[in-house]
Structure formats: structure tokens, C-alpha cells
Amino acid sequence: MPSAVLGRIRQVLDQARLEHKARPEKTQDVAPSDPSATDQPATNHKESSDATSSKKPKSTQELLYESRVQQRAKQKEHLRMPQEYWPADAMLRMPKVFGKFAQPDDAEVAKIVLIGAANAGKSTLVNQLTGAEVSIVSRQPQTTRTRIMASSTVGNKQLVFLDTPGIVSRAGLRRIARGTVTAPWLTLAEASFAILMLDAYKITEKATFVEDGLFDHFSRAKTIPAFLVVNKVDLITDQEKLRLRVKHYYDQYPKIVGEPIYISAMNNIGIDDLKTKLLELTKKGDWEVPAYVTSDMSDLTRVEEIIRGEWFELMTSYMPYVITQRNVCWEEANVLYTKKALFKKNGPDEP
């Protein structure tokens, strides 16, 4: 694995260790008790033979235990892992749960969803607003596959961001998983405010079927207030053409608050002004997470996302989308031993 990727993983984990995480105590598999191990009075050969012939079948617990032991033995033999390491448990992928935590009496919060076409720069903006690598970023569209929660706390105000997969056109519905397609619309119900993102280069130089469909849907069915944020303005030379295109979308949705906001998320242009405007949206209410937390994503998931982002950068065409990453070992210790296995849609393949 490239040293640059390992460095990013270490940075994410170091930051995550500063965040509170309520963990259940680790449990070890314990073999079911053997009824035959208890002290029994001595019996003659005939009685012993009768007992053997009338032995009860194994319980479900015993069968499950034996199956799990055999499965782990096969995994170790196949992967040739040190015996003290085991494949990651599914619980390690669950979002972090914080329980009760300290917050000011005058706490304020705003929950903001980011909506836009694929590659509009939503994930880059979330990372800039939180100051952390929460969402992975690549040149490939649809890098973000699920809803991702991120947060930034300033004083008594907390901003909770919901990053979503890019909106797809009707032509792309058959090529994208249903969960990825519906995630943006389902996430809207969680938020009190929206950021509608436009790609400045795309709306001035390319087809805009997705953007047209997005604003048509909002104008007919949505009432959530929103900022209109135009990203990648540093790529545009014809500012008048951009202004006219932005006005076209601005006029379609009456719930847009204020004037359009022009930024470059990649080059950190206009981010501070946007964050100042977002902080003005907060209302009295309990925080979602402690002040020092930037995401509720588990450490294991964040590492897997970083590695998945590297595959999106290294591969082209359809390849990043048909490869599934499976973590086969995860151990939180002074020495981290990891090994990854890649599987294509139709079967195993070599990395």
C-alpha cells in the first residue's frame, strides 16, 4: 500500500482517537459447556453403552460454535494471518454512539443537507467546512455512495452536514444502485436547511439534464429553505454567461435564501463567508455530537473509505464501480496488520 495512503489513514485514526467512542467490552468465544465433563458416578460397561446410544443431538448453540471455529480456521489458513488477528466484526462498522455528553445551556444547532449533481463538489465542501477528511473525494462521479454525517462546532453553535450521493439523470437510473439514487431525497427529510450546489463549469459548458430535473423537482415538491452555492468558479472565464445560467436556476426555486454564493471548494475560495452565513441559521436545540467530533463514522469505515477513494483515483471507466472492497482483518493495537481482498461483481479477482 502506498506510503501516502498509509499516512492519510494514520492521520484519520489519530484524529478519531481524540474523539469519544463508547465501545462494548470485547468478548471472546467460549466453547459451550460439555455435559459429559461433570462428575458422574461410576457405571458398568453396559450402562456406558446405553448412555452412548441415547446421546442427545447437539444443540443449536453448539453447532453454531463449531461452525464459527471452522470458518475462522479456514480464513486464517487462506490468508496466512497471525493467529492473534481476526476478521473485522460487523459491529465495528456501526456509526459511533456517544450517549450523554457535555454541551452548553444555550446550545444551538442547524442540520444541513447538500444536494447536487455528481461531481459538483459536495464532499470537497464538507471536508473544507469541517476541517477534516470526512468524505472521500475523487475525479470519478458517484464516489459518495451513501449519506454521510459530518459536523463542525463553533462556540455554542453546531453545524451538522449531511453529504449525499449525486443526483442522477433518468438515463443513469438503471446503472446506479437504488440506495444511491434515493439517498439524497430521503436525507432531505432529516434536514432543516439545504445547500443546492451547481458546478459552474458544467452549467456553462456541458449538458444540464440533471440540474434541470433537480430544480424542476424542487420547484414543484419541496419547501425547504436553501442556499444556492455555485462551485468551481475559478474555472470560468466568461463570468457573464455564468451569471445568466445561475439566474436561470435561481428564479426557479422561490425558497432560496439571499443571493447566490460563488465558491471554489478545492481552492478554499469563499468557504469562510459561506460558513459564517451557515452559522447564522442555527436555532436553539441539543447538539447531535460532542464538540470535538467531526463525523459519526466508525474508524474502520473511514479507513475503508480512504482505500476505496484510492481505487477510484487509480482505475477508470466502469472498474471502480464493479469492485467491492472487503476488509478481512482489523485489529486496533500498537501494530496494525491489514490485508485487503478485492472481488469483482462476477467473482474473485486479483488486486
Side-chain angles (χ1 to χ4, degrees):
M1 190 178 293
S3 58
V5 181
L6 291 175
R8 290 170 59 200
I9 290 175
R10 292 192 186 99
Q11 184 179 3
V12 168
L13 290 179
D14 288 343
Q15 181 180 9
R17 289 190 184 102
L18 299 177
E19 302 175 357
H20 170 74
K21 181 167 75 171
R23 300 187 184 186
E25 296 183 358
K26 293 185 178 179
T27 59
Q28 297 181 349
D29 291 331
V30 179
S33 59
D34 185 1
S36 63
T38 57
D39 293 333
Q40 298 290 341
T43 58
N44 56 32
H45 178 73
K46 183 178 179 180
E47 291 175 343
S48 177
S49 176
D50 292 341
T52 303
S53 62
S54 61
K55 187 177 180 181
K56 293 182 180 180
K58 293 183 178 179
S59 65
T60 303
Q61 181 183 5
E62 291 172 325
L63 292 173
L64 288 175
Y65 171 78
E66 291 182 358
S67 174
R68 190 173 184 183
V69 170
Q70 292 173 2
Q71 182 182 7
R72 287 188 167 183
K74 289 180 180 179
Q75 289 172 336
K76 284 186 176 184
E77 181 180 357
H78 173 68
L79 299 171
R80 297 179 182 176
M81 292 189 296
Q83 291 188 355
E84 63 270 22
Y85 297 110
W86 299 99
D89 190 274
M91 290 297 294
L92 293 175
R93 290 186 175 85
M94 299 295 290
K96 297 177 183 177
V97 178
F98 302 95
K100 293 183 179 180
F101 55 86
Q103 56 182 298
D105 295 333
D106 59 344
E108 296 184 7
V109 65
K111 211 165 185 178
I112 304 158
V113 59
L114 287 83
I115 301 287
N119 264 19
K122 300 182 295 296
S123 296
T124 304
L125 177 58
V126 167
N127 291 343
Q128 291 282 20
L129 290 170
T130 59
E133 189 174 6
V134 177
S135 298
I136 62 171
V137 177
S138 80
R139 293 167 292 181
Q140 301 282 352
Q142 294 296 343
T143 303
T144 302
R145 311 293 283 177
T146 61
R147 161 211 178 275
I148 294 175
M149 191 280 275
S151 67
S152 176
T153 305
V154 180
N156 67 320
K157 299 174 179 284
Q158 183 170 93
L159 300 175
V160 178
F161 301 103
L162 303 175
D163 188 13
T164 62
I167 303 294
V168 298
S169 64
R170 289 185 178 274
L173 291 178
R174 291 176 293 179
R175 302 193 301 268
I176 306 297
R178 178 177 295 182
T180 302
V181 173
T182 59
W185 308 113
L186 295 176
T187 307
L188 274 169
E190 299 182 49
S192 58
F193 201 85
I195 292 178
L196 300 179
M197 285 198 70
L198 291 174
D199 182 335
Y201 180 78
K202 185 181 178 185
I203 64 174
T204 55
E205 304 295 336
K206 297 183 178 181
T208 57
F209 299 114
V210 174
E211 289 79 4
D212 294 342
L214 170 63
F215 277 80
D216 179 64
H217 181 80
F218 261 79
S219 63
R220 289 185 294 104
K222 300 301 176 184
T223 58
I224 185 172
F227 281 151
L228 180 59
V229 176
V230 185
N231 190 27
K232 306 182 185 180
V233 295
D234 53 318
L235 302 179
I236 305 302
T237 55
D238 191 343
Q239 296 295 326
E240 181 61 22
K241 182 179 180 181
L242 174 62
R243 187 186 67 81
L244 292 175
R245 294 298 297 156
V246 170
K247 186 177 185 303
H248 167 72
Y249 293 111
Y250 179 84
D251 292 339
Q252 289 190 43
Y253 189 51
K255 290 291 184 177
I256 292 177
V257 177
E259 296 297 317
I261 303 170
Y262 296 86
I263 67 168
S264 172
M266 181 68 71
N267 295 312
N268 200 22
I269 297 174
I271 303 300
D272 292 339
D273 291 340
L274 173 59
K275 190 168 185 177
T276 299
K277 293 177 189 263
L278 292 173
L279 287 170
E280 296 174 357
L281 302 174
T282 58
K283 297 180 179 180
K284 187 172 179 58
D286 292 337
W287 288 351
E288 297 277 330
V289 295
Y292 45 81
V293 171
T294 56
S295 176
D296 65 349
M297 196 183 302
S298 70
D299 297 343
L300 171 59
T301 303
R302 293 182 78 168
V303 170
E304 289 182 330
E305 285 290 287
I306 291 174
I307 296 172
R308 187 170 68 87
E310 292 301 312
W311 291 120
F312 270 76
E313 287 294 331
L314 293 172
M315 298 178 181
T316 57
S317 187
Y318 67 92
M319 284 301 294
Y321 304 98
V322 299
I323 287 184
T324 301
Q325 174 186 317
R326 182 170 68 96
N327 180 286
V328 295
C329 181
W330 174 265
E331 183 74 12
E332 296 184 20
N334 293 331
V335 178
L336 178 65
Y337 174 89
T338 59
K339 185 173 180 179
K340 296 287 172 180
L342 291 181
F343 289 88
K344 269 187 166 181
K345 222 174 189 179
N346 298 325
D349 189 20
E350 291 297 325

